[in-house]
Amino acid sequence: MEEELKCPVCGSLFREPIILPCSHNVCLPCARTIAVQTPENEQHLPCAAGGGVDHADKLSLHSETDSGYGSYTPSLKSPNGVRVLPLVPAPPGAAAAQRGAGPAGSSLTCPQCHRSASLDQRGLRGFQRNRLLEAIVQRYQQGRAAAAAAKCQLCDRSPPEPAAVLCEQCDVLYCAACQLRCHPARGPFAKHRLVPPPGAPGPPGGGDGGGKGAGGGRKLPTCAEHDLENYSMYCVSCRSPVCYQCLEDGRHGKHDVKALGAVWKQHKAQLSQALNGVSDKAKEAKEFLVQLKNLLQQIQENGLDYEACLVAQCDALVDALTRQKAKLLTKVTKEREHKLKVVWDQINHCTLKLRQSTGLMEYCLEVIKENDPSGFLQISDALIKRVQVSQEQWVKGALEPKVSAEFDLTLDSEPLLQAIHQLDFIQMKCRVPPVPLLQLEKCCTRNNSVTLAWRMPPLSHNPVEGYILELDDGDGGQFREVYVGKETLCTIDGLHFNSTYNARVKAFNSSGVGPYSKTVILQTSDVAWFTFDPSSAHRDIVLSNDNQTATCSSYDDRVVLGTAAFSKGVHYWELHVDRYDNHPDPAFGIARINVVKDMMLGKDDKAWAMYVDNNRSWFMHCNSHTNRTEGGVCKGATVGVLLDLNKHNLTFYINGQQQGPPAFENVEGVFMPALSLNRNVQVTVLRLPLPV
């Protein structure tokens, strides 16, 4: 857990940690060293909490094409390997900035995700203090100090050995050796209770009493804006706790506000549920390490057996075999060393992953023990995501041995004497791979996409060079190849809605193709629905409302795609314009998966779009503008997109009115809903049942 409590800049335990807008933490003294001054003409958005500023506008992200101020230009490394910005000389009159109250126009770059955020007049004090993390660090330091101070009271050694147990009846600390010698578990000592020494870590999930109420005996935190008010509610839109005075001020009037305690319990439950998955994987990893260590012993034993057999065969041959014996022994040794190296590499890799997962688990358990709702909710979202990502790292055969303990080597000692100089190992006859096993618990469908996963049977020694995945046409027709490769997980997009697909997989190697697996039946969704896809969106796109609402942190046009792909039928969807400032030109339409994401939709040959301002609209494809039509958008407008793949055309609507004739003809292929916008626009996709 100690790695979770270290600052990414200085590599030491956190001191006065503050929470950056990207949810990462950094020491307040370290934050002063990585803050940079921005020229007066450089525009930044305030990032400190409060003031009614939209959460999406708290970040000011910079690309390599920006002016360079506040962007990530690494030149130094912190003790734990994270690159940070060099210290910039403070301008005249900036002494207050060094104390945490920097002037407006400064910015701070997160040393972990490299996102840059601007500072307002409050400077670094505008960021919230992570009280929960401070409390965990303090407990950790106290526990470590107490554990270091616990020494055996009966040791003859100087200095005494660290205490291993404490007898509650004798009230004496014992090391392991003194316990066996002076306090045996028999006779009158059998009924004595031995416990860990003071300061030793308790069992996972152990509480700390929990009888101090919601505040754990500490003073309840007060609102940063209203010193006399305690936090009592939680604004879901801003992701921050608020007081009643904040609600009365009206800054959260249209936001989703919930009771602080209810959200606290909900996020605790989510984190606990995510931890269960990581805990199961950690248990599997421990069992896997035992399996690997047994495999090491088997490889050693089998290697010795092969060497003995080889020596016996070579000794029975004439002197000519002696010259070849050393060469053959070398090949066996290389084979054994290769297998041992592969297994040791797996052990080291799995041990590292297990240590990281265990550290994260211990840290999360400490977080769950915390009774400060507001402090917990400051980091719960980011922590839940980290736990989910940690659970996903164990997929794709991570807990399966990469080599077997068997040596597939056979010495042919029958040839005539004149063939001795050609004597060499021959590989055991390679057979085709066995039947792959479909992992039904990982096979699933989403909209018109299907995901399949498989693995080879355990203890399968036949080599596998790749897999062939086949899928029928959704109507019971012939199978066709949809994937050939080495991966054991595959997602196929762009299938037909409301269709039943049959899938099967087989493995192949140099000897041929193995038999098919069992056939799995997958049903695509009967009604299409999509949200915006965060995995394929441009990094400047900001999604919220369960990925149903999109805006942008850049003044340039950026593209985001929907999660559904259409290749057949008639589809209609609507998007609501939530915000429209300074007359920008958002574009609505369809695109292929490889559309360019850093310019307006329709400027390349992978997208078909209608871009619109507050007065009129145009159709655009391959940067060609056509069909200017009167009728624009404003805040509250609705834009409809009708994709008819039966007639192969695309039509647009604004507030229910069709914008000219069908915008494009001869539209064929697989398309995804698409949108381009900048920071002056916010759009929400409306949940409509789409015809298929």
Side-chain angles (χ1 to χ4, degrees):
M1 182 182 70
E2 184 173 347
E3 294 298 323
E4 300 287 337
L5 306 180
K6 288 184 178 180
C7 173
V9 177
C10 63
S12 303
L13 295 178
F14 280 106
R15 297 169 297 159
E16 301 181 76
I18 60 176
I19 303 177
L20 302 180
C22 57
S23 298
H24 291 121
N25 298 281
V26 68
C27 293
L28 181 59
C30 297
R32 298 192 185 107
T33 68
I34 61 176
V36 296
Q37 183 68 24
T38 303
E40 296 180 357
N41 58 355
E42 186 76 13
Q43 294 184 358
H44 281 287
L45 291 178
C47 67
V53 180
D54 190 284
H55 179 74
D57 290 337
K58 293 179 182 179
L59 290 178
S60 178
L61 306 181
H62 298 267
S63 68
E64 294 180 357
T65 59
D66 287 330
S67 64
Y69 292 102
S71 61
Y72 182 65
T73 55
S75 62
L76 299 174
K77 274 192 175 182
S78 67
N80 61 341
V82 177
R83 290 181 176 248
V84 299
L85 288 172
L87 184 62
V88 177
Q98 298 300 321
R99 294 190 297 270
S106 296
S107 63
L108 180 68
T109 299
C110 176
Q112 290 183 281
C113 66
H114 308 157
R115 292 193 175 188
S116 180
S118 62
L119 278 64
D120 61 11
Q121 294 296 334
R122 293 176 295 173
L124 297 175
R125 295 299 181 183
F127 295 114
Q128 296 185 23
R129 285 277 292 274
N130 195 334
R131 300 181 305 275
L132 177 59
L133 181 56
E134 280 188 280
I136 294 176
V137 169
Q138 184 178 6
R139 285 204 303 267
Y140 178 79
Q141 290 176 322
Q142 292 173 349
R144 189 167 60 177
K151 301 292 183 179
C152 178
Q153 295 175 305
L154 297 180
C155 262
D156 296 331
R157 302 178 184 177
S158 181
E161 292 290 323
V165 294
L166 168 68
C167 177
E168 290 187 338
Q169 284 70 30
C170 303
D171 195 21
V172 175
L173 292 167
Y174 299 93
C175 65
C178 292
Q179 177 197 349
L180 294 176
R181 186 177 71 254
C182 305
H183 199 287
R186 62 182 181 274
F189 296 110
K191 296 183 179 181
H192 287 202
R193 184 166 179 242
L194 301 178
V195 297
D208 56 357
K212 298 182 180 180
R218 292 189 299 270
K219 179 182 178 182
L220 292 175
T222 58
C223 178
E225 301 294 331
H226 309 95
D227 296 338
L228 300 180
E229 296 290 339
N230 293 331
Y231 289 127
S232 57
M233 305 295 288
Y234 182 76
C235 179
V236 179
S237 303
C238 299
R239 296 183 181 180
S240 64
V242 296
C243 68
Y244 278 105
Q245 189 64 40
C246 294
L247 299 180
E248 292 179 359
D249 291 346
R251 68 184 67 182
H252 303 279
K254 296 183 179 180
H255 293 182
D256 184 10
V257 179
K258 297 182 179 180
L260 186 67
V263 181
W264 172 43
K265 293 180 180 179
Q266 177 186 354
H267 283 220
K268 271 200 172 185
Q270 291 177 358
L271 181 56
S272 299
Q273 183 178 4
L275 274 177
N276 289 336
V278 178
S279 177
D280 293 340
K281 292 300 180 182
K283 181 180 179 181
E284 292 180 21
K286 292 179 181 179
E287 297 173 353
F288 180 58
L289 286 174
V290 174
Q291 179 184 356
L292 289 177
K293 292 178 180 179
N294 292 334
L295 187 63
L296 284 174
Q297 183 178 358
Q298 294 177 17
I299 292 175
Q300 291 280 16
E301 294 174 355
N302 291 341
L304 294 175
D305 291 342
Y306 270 86
E307 287 182 359
C309 180
L310 177 62
V311 172
Q313 287 180 330
C314 290
D315 288 344
L317 299 176
V318 293
D319 294 341
L321 289 175
T322 305
R323 294 188 298 269
Q324 294 292 341
K325 182 170 62 175
K327 298 180 181 179
L328 297 175
L329 284 171
T330 301
K331 291 186 178 182
V332 173
T333 303
K334 288 183 178 179
E335 179 70 9
R336 183 184 66 209
E337 290 176 351
H338 169 70
K339 287 178 176 288
L340 292 174
K341 182 180 182 301
V342 172
V343 176
W344 273 117
D345 288 344
Q346 259 194 298
I347 289 177
N348 293 334
H349 178 74
C350 185
T351 302
L352 177 61
K353 293 294 184 184
L354 177 61
R355 181 173 63 84
Q356 293 173 348
S357 298
T358 304
L360 180 60
M361 288 172 54
E362 293 175 353
Y363 173 63
C364 292
L365 290 171
E366 288 295 326
V367 171
I368 291 178
K369 286 193 280 184
E370 186 58 34
N371 293 321
D372 180 2
S374 59
F376 179 87
L377 293 175
Q378 286 178 328
I379 64 172
S380 57
D381 284 327
L383 206 53
I384 291 171
K385 292 179 181 177
R386 287 190 59 197
V387 172
Q388 293 171 344
V389 170
S390 177
Q391 181 179 356
E392 294 171 359
Q393 72 181 356
W394 298 100
V395 299
K396 295 185 180 179
L399 300 182
E400 295 178 2
K402 293 183 178 179
V403 296
S404 66
E406 301 296 328
F407 281 64
D408 297 332
L409 304 171
T410 300
L411 183 64
D412 185 3
S413 61
E414 297 297 328
L416 298 175
L417 185 61
Q418 60 266 27
I420 289 180
H421 291 291
Q422 286 77 37
L423 189 63
D424 199 351
F425 283 112
I426 61 171
Q427 293 285 342
M428 294 182 63
K429 183 178 179 181
C430 182
R431 295 184 293 270
V432 297
V435 179
L437 302 178
L438 287 168
Q439 296 182 278
L440 299 181
E441 69 278 5
K442 297 181 180 180
C443 299
C444 62
T445 62
R446 186 175 185 270
N447 268 340
N448 59 339
S449 299
V450 298
T451 298
L452 296 109
W454 60 90
R455 62 179 177 87
M456 296 305 293
L459 304 179
S460 173
H461 305 307
N462 295 337
V464 176
E465 297 180 4
Y467 303 92
I468 300 174
L469 176 63
E470 296 183 356
L471 203 69
D472 69 359
D473 60 359
D475 292 324
Q478 294 184 347
F479 283 89
R480 68 188 190 280
E481 292 184 2
V482 295
Y483 171 75
V484 177
K486 297 182 179 181
E487 297 295 332
T488 58
L489 182 72
C490 181
T491 298
I492 304 99
D493 298 315
L495 302 177
H496 301 320
F497 285 93
N498 196 23
S499 300
T500 301
Y501 287 88
N502 296 300
R504 62 188 184 185
V505 64
K506 57 185 178 182
F508 63 88
N509 59 19
S510 58
S511 298
V513 180
Y516 285 106
S517 67
K518 294 182 179 180
T519 300
V520 61
I521 301 174
L522 300 166
Q523 173 73 42
T524 56
S525 301
D526 54 351
V527 175
W529 162 243
F530 70 89
T531 59
F532 294 118
D533 184 10
S535 63
S536 63
H538 191 279
R539 62 179 179 273
D540 292 341
I541 293 293
V542 180
L543 302 180
S544 59
N545 189 25
D546 294 330
N547 296 332
Q548 299 177 56
T549 299
T551 185
C552 181
S553 62
S554 172
Y555 286 105
D556 298 321
D557 292 308
R558 303 300 189 219
V559 172
V560 59
L561 302 178
T563 54
F566 304 126
S567 60
K568 177 182 176 182
V570 181
H571 309 275
Y572 176 78
W573 61 92
E574 291 183 349
L575 301 109
H576 184 266
V577 180
D578 303 329
R579 189 177 76 245
Y580 187 83
D581 303 328
N582 301 325
H583 310 304
D585 299 329
F588 308 84
I590 59 175
R592 303 193 192 279
I593 186 64
N594 57 343
V595 64
V596 178
K597 305 290 191 349
D598 58 358
M599 62 184 181
M600 180 181 288
L601 192 69
K603 285 198 172 185
D604 64 351
D605 61 348
K606 304 297 190 300
W608 292 256
M610 174 188 72
Y611 77 93
V612 58
D613 60 15
N614 60 322
N615 292 320
R616 57 191 67 84
S617 64
W618 296 263
F619 303 144
M620 185 163 62
H621 174 62
C622 290
N623 206 21
S624 175
H625 308 251
T626 59
N627 290 61
R628 170 177 161 178
T629 306
E630 297 300 321
V633 296
C634 60
K635 180 180 179 181
T638 301
V639 177
V641 182
L642 177 62
L643 175 61
D644 189 341
L645 292 173
N646 296 333
K647 297 181 180 179
H648 307 291
N649 60 33
L650 181 65
T651 307
F652 295 96
Y653 299 83
I654 296 180
N655 295 327
Q657 298 296 319
Q658 182 173 336
Q659 293 298 102
F664 302 101
E665 304 286 350
N666 302 319
V667 179
E668 296 184 9
V670 179
F671 303 98
M672 309 179 79
L675 168 71
S676 70
L677 71 169
N678 61 23
R679 71 184 310 148
N680 293 318
V681 187
Q682 179 175 301
V683 174
T684 297
V685 59
L686 301 179
R687 192 177 185 91
L688 300 173
L690 307 183
V692 297

